Amino acid sequence: THTHTPMLLRLLLVLLFAGAASAGASASAAAAEVTLYVSSTRGHDSANNCTTPAAPCATISHAVAQALQQVEEPSGSGLTLLVAGEEYDQDCSSDGLLVPFGSVHIVGGSNFTDSDGDGDVAVVSCHSRGRFLLLNGTDVHLENLHVQDATVLRPSNFTPSFEYCSQSGAGLCWWPAASSGSLSLQLSGCSFSRNTITNVSSELASLGGAAVAVGSTATKNQSAPALTLTLTVEQCMFVNNSLDAAAGGAG
């Protein structure tokens, strides 16, 4: 019996190591960093995962869909979208394009060679069809984006976890789910124009935010003593955004 003990021990160690390696691989897949590329003039969406500068997606919405297929847990992962400085006819919807990643960095005017813009902006047009972005990550940075003609029409069936966004934030609504820790939204070199909120109910009109809305369930309920929220706006413009109620803010 004693002659088999070393082999059994080696087998046990191999199994333990294999189990640890498998757990590490699962954790890596669960918490990933994804970088994708978008160009309306050079890209295409058909059978494209958008992972190389030589073959970018054509639309932002397709890039987000592809990113979600590449991670297991978006809330614990990071997404960087490098978006060329071109015009994008966004397929906006009443709820908006949900980007459920924990960390989101969208860089407009990208030259695809680094994580910074090249001075141009990416122009996103919603043509009054709905909201542009719906975000719930803890760290969000939008850079060199111009968002125009987005609208919120007070949808009747809205995701409960984003109830504040039902009547605000046509350009983007940031509603992080976290109840503790640090939250950060940074807007750099962005502009928002002709974004509108219509048919706002009187009880929620004071929420405002036709272009950008910021909030969370925890702060709304005043139950977040350990929550730190940082909002940074650098060299941004807000032009002709409107809200059809007397109360509230158009910015």
Side-chain angles (χ1 to χ4, degrees), residues 131 152 154 158 162-170 172-175 197 200-217 219-221 242-251:
R131 184 197 319 275
V152 170
R154 191 185 172 193
F158 202 80
F162 291 96
E163 68 270 24
Y164 171 78
C165 299
S166 65
Q167 301 188 77
S168 59
L172 71 92
C173 188
W174 181 49
W175 188 267
I197 306 293
V200 180
S201 63
S202 58
E203 68 272 17
L204 291 180
S206 61
L207 293 177
V212 177
V214 176
S216 73
T217 301
T219 54
K220 175 185 174 183
N221 297 334
S242 62
L243 181 72
D244 75 346

Side-chain angles (χ1 to χ4, degrees), residues 17 23 25 31 35-36 39 41-43 59 92 96 120 124-125 160 187 195 212 227 229-230 233 235:
F17 178 78
T35 299
L36 301 181
S39 169
T41 61
R42 292 171 285 157
T59 62
C92 299
D120 295 327
V124 179
S125 300
L187 304 176
N195 301 291
V212 177
L227 188 64
L229 189 150
T230 301
V233 180
Q235 299 180 333

